[in-house]
Amino acid sequence: MAIGSIKPKHWKGMSLKMSVPSQAESRRPRPLAMQIKWHPPEQPWIKINTDGAVSTTGKAGGGGVIRDHDGKLFAAFATPLGTQSALEAELLAISHGLGLAKELNRPMWIESDSEQTIKLFNGTGWGPAYIRRVMARLVIFKQQHNIRASFIHRKGNKAADWLAKWSLDQTNFGNMSEQTP
């Protein structure tokens, strides 16, 4: 880069986004390069990164990582799920993550790489009928705890993504602590 040539390795961890102006312009939208990575929460929050996965064979699983403001791992999990819907797998992974994190007795911040799931979690609707049971649990949990939820790009959610895919081959809930990741 010092001599002016940009190589693919310089773009590692970057993703292209489009900048669309709010007003009409004569030029086309310009692509923006932005770095995608996980950011720790502010103190005293803990961040719960979750992901759900469904295979082509119909197996489903979920995984997640719970960390603090220093990035310290509190817990991680990978679990097979009894669903065939990606949306339900994402919501069940959030439910499992919240269940583990509530023991820490701190405000919880959910991050998921599913925009639809985050919109549903943050909204007032219940979604399709097949997910209403898990949505009811999440609504009650939100009423009883200090929780926020936000979207994170898949590249910033690699640990949860890996755990969710790994859970597809598991038969039991796997809970890992900072000593056993």
Side-chain angles (χ1 to χ4, degrees), residues 41-159:
E42 57 272 357
Q43 178 74 288
W45 291 79
I46 54 173
K47 205 174 254 191
I48 309 160
N49 289 80
T50 63
D51 196 20
V54 178
S55 72
T56 56
T57 61
K59 290 183 178 181
V65 181
I66 303 169
R67 295 176 277 199
D68 71 0
H69 66 282
D70 289 326
K72 177 185 167 199
L73 177 75
F74 283 117
F77 69 93
T79 184
L81 299 170
T83 182
Q84 294 180 355
S85 154
L87 177 59
E88 190 174 14
E90 295 279 354
L91 289 167
L92 286 169
I94 289 173
S95 180
H96 283 290
L98 289 171
L100 282 174
K102 77 177 178 182
E103 304 301 323
L104 300 170
N105 205 23
R106 294 168 86 177
M108 297 171 263
W109 184 344
I110 292 285
E111 275 190 333
S112 171
D113 57 17
S114 168
E115 285 187 81
Q116 180 184 14
T117 303
I118 294 300
K119 285 179 184 175
L120 192 58
F121 185 86
N122 287 333
T124 57
W126 288 82
Y130 69 92
I131 62 163
R132 292 201 178 141
R133 192 175 76 209
V134 68
M135 280 302 297
R137 279 187 291 191
L138 292 173
V139 166
I140 291 168
F141 203 93
K142 284 180 2 180
Q143 291 171 349
Q144 297 172 344
H145 297 87
N146 189 4
I147 300 173
R148 67 173 136 176
S150 61
F151 171 77
I152 185 171
H153 290 276
R154 182 167 287 137
K155 288 183 179 181
N157 204 29
K158 286 182 183 179

